[in-house]
Structures are given as C-alpha cells and as structure tokens.
Amino acid sequence: MTEDQAVLENVGPRLRGFRKALGLTLATLAERTGLTPSTISRLERGHIRPTLEQLLPLARAYAVPLDELVAAPTTGDPRVHLRPFRKDGLTFVPLGVKTGGMRAYKVIYPPMSKLPPPRFHVHPGREWFYVLHGTVQLVLTDTRTELTAGEAAEFDTATPHWIGNARDDVPAETIAIYGQQGERVHVTDV
C-alpha cells in the first residue's frame, strides 16, 4: 500500500473522529456544512471518497487546516507560523496548529492596571499553565494564589476561576494549555 493510499483509507475514520470529538450529530454537521447526513455518513464509513467540495466545508466546521483533516503527509517547513491575537486585554500567541483537541498558547498579561475587571469563568474540564515571566494571580472562588516564573498550576475548571497579572509594573507571560471547553471560554469569540 502506498502512502497516498493509506492517507485516503484513513480519511473516513478521521472525519468521524473529528465529529465525535466535537460531540456533533450527523444532522448538526450537515446544517453547518451543507452536506447531507447520508453523505457525511458514507464519507465517514469510507463508502465514498471525499471531494474537495466536501472537504472544504468539513475543514471549516472542524476549524482545522485541510491537510490536517485528511492527515496529509507533511511537506516543507515544519515551523508554526505564529499569529498573535488579542482578547479581553490579553495577547494570545498560538504555539501549534488547531487540531480539534488541546491547544497551547503563550499568554501575555498586561500590567494589572491595564487589565479589564476580573470576570470569573466556569466550564467543564481542566486547565494548566506555567509562568514564564512575572507574577500571575490565580483566583479559585475565594482563594488567591500568586505564582512566579517557574511555577505551574492545574485546576478543575468547574471551580469559578480568574487569572491575571499580579503586578502593575511589568507584563506577565505564561504557557497555557486548553482543551475544547477551556478554549471556548477563554480564547475564541464564539
């Protein structure tokens, strides 16, 4: 079996895996893509080979690059081209491509006086971050913890939480890992 044949054989299970990972039904995915539930089912079971016209809306629905959707062999430059974005006064620098699962970011917190007022978040899952520079304040319900460079924290995100810079003179930087639930709440504008 050639590498291309192996890629084509695995497209169906990958498509089904992306859909299941996001908890989407065939009907919901059909609404988002314009494909019929029957077509999506046949693609996932490998009964038909996908066309570009089918893969493009699926890649958009799963928010992954087309080559990742089909697990195309890697070619060219393996570096991640970082495109920082701002949300709620923070700067997020993606450290990898969106895979539908965990996402890693470098998060830059401006000095405390430049942060918006604290807003607690609650969602299913876990969150982890590592402080690269500065001092970060983690508030879990009524408990405040300050973490400095070299320290890490992990917590259940069902607990009301807020993270911000603890100092007013310098930015703080962390590496943060979010699952789908955490990403939805903290990072993306949905």
Side-chain angles (χ1 to χ4, degrees):
M1 178 182 298
T2 69
E3 187 177 15
D4 289 346
Q5 288 171 323
V7 167
L8 289 172
E9 236 177 70
N10 289 316
V11 170
R14 283 186 66 78
L15 294 175
R16 185 172 197 274
F18 278 109
R19 181 174 62 80
K20 292 292 187 180
L22 293 174
L24 299 174
T25 64
L26 289 170
T28 302
L29 184 58
E31 289 174 18
R32 292 184 183 181
T33 62
L35 301 172
T36 66
S38 170
T39 298
I40 296 168
S41 176
R42 289 189 321 228
L43 288 168
E44 289 180 355
R45 289 180 290 148
H47 291 174
I48 59 174
R49 295 263 169 125
T51 66
L52 188 56
E53 289 80 13
Q54 294 164 331
L55 290 173
L56 288 173
L58 288 168
R60 268 194 299 278
Y62 297 138
V64 297
L66 189 57
D67 59 339
E68 187 176 323
L69 183 67
V70 298
T74 56
T75 59
D77 189 350
R79 290 177 290 187
V80 175
H81 300 284
L82 309 175
R83 289 188 177 80
F85 61 92
R86 293 183 52 80
K87 179 170 177 14
D88 294 333
L90 308 179
T91 301
F92 291 85
V93 182
L95 299 178
V97 294
K98 191 168 189 175
T99 61
M102 302 293 256
R103 298 282 312 264
Y105 295 90
K106 177 179 178 181
V107 183
I108 303 168
Y109 294 85
M112 188 172 29
S113 62
K114 295 182 180 175
L115 281 172
R119 191 177 86 209
F120 284 84
H121 298 281
V122 177
H123 51 87
R126 296 198 65 74
E127 191 164 321
W128 177 93
F129 69 89
Y130 175 84
V131 182
L132 293 170
H133 176 75
T135 305
V136 174
Q137 185 176 173
L138 169 63
V139 181
L140 298 170
T141 311
D142 295 328
T143 305
R144 291 180 188 276
T145 304
E146 286 193 4
L147 295 100
T148 58
E151 293 185 295
E154 180 179 3
F155 56 93
D156 182 345
T157 56
T159 303
H161 59 280
W162 176 83
I163 304 168
N165 193 339
R167 297 190 47 197
D168 201 27
D169 53 346
V170 294
E173 298 178 1
T174 66
I175 297 291
I177 298 178
Y178 301 100
Q180 287 177 297
Q181 296 87 357
E183 181 181 329
R184 206 172 294 127
V185 172
H186 293 288
V187 180
T188 57
D189 291 318
V190 177

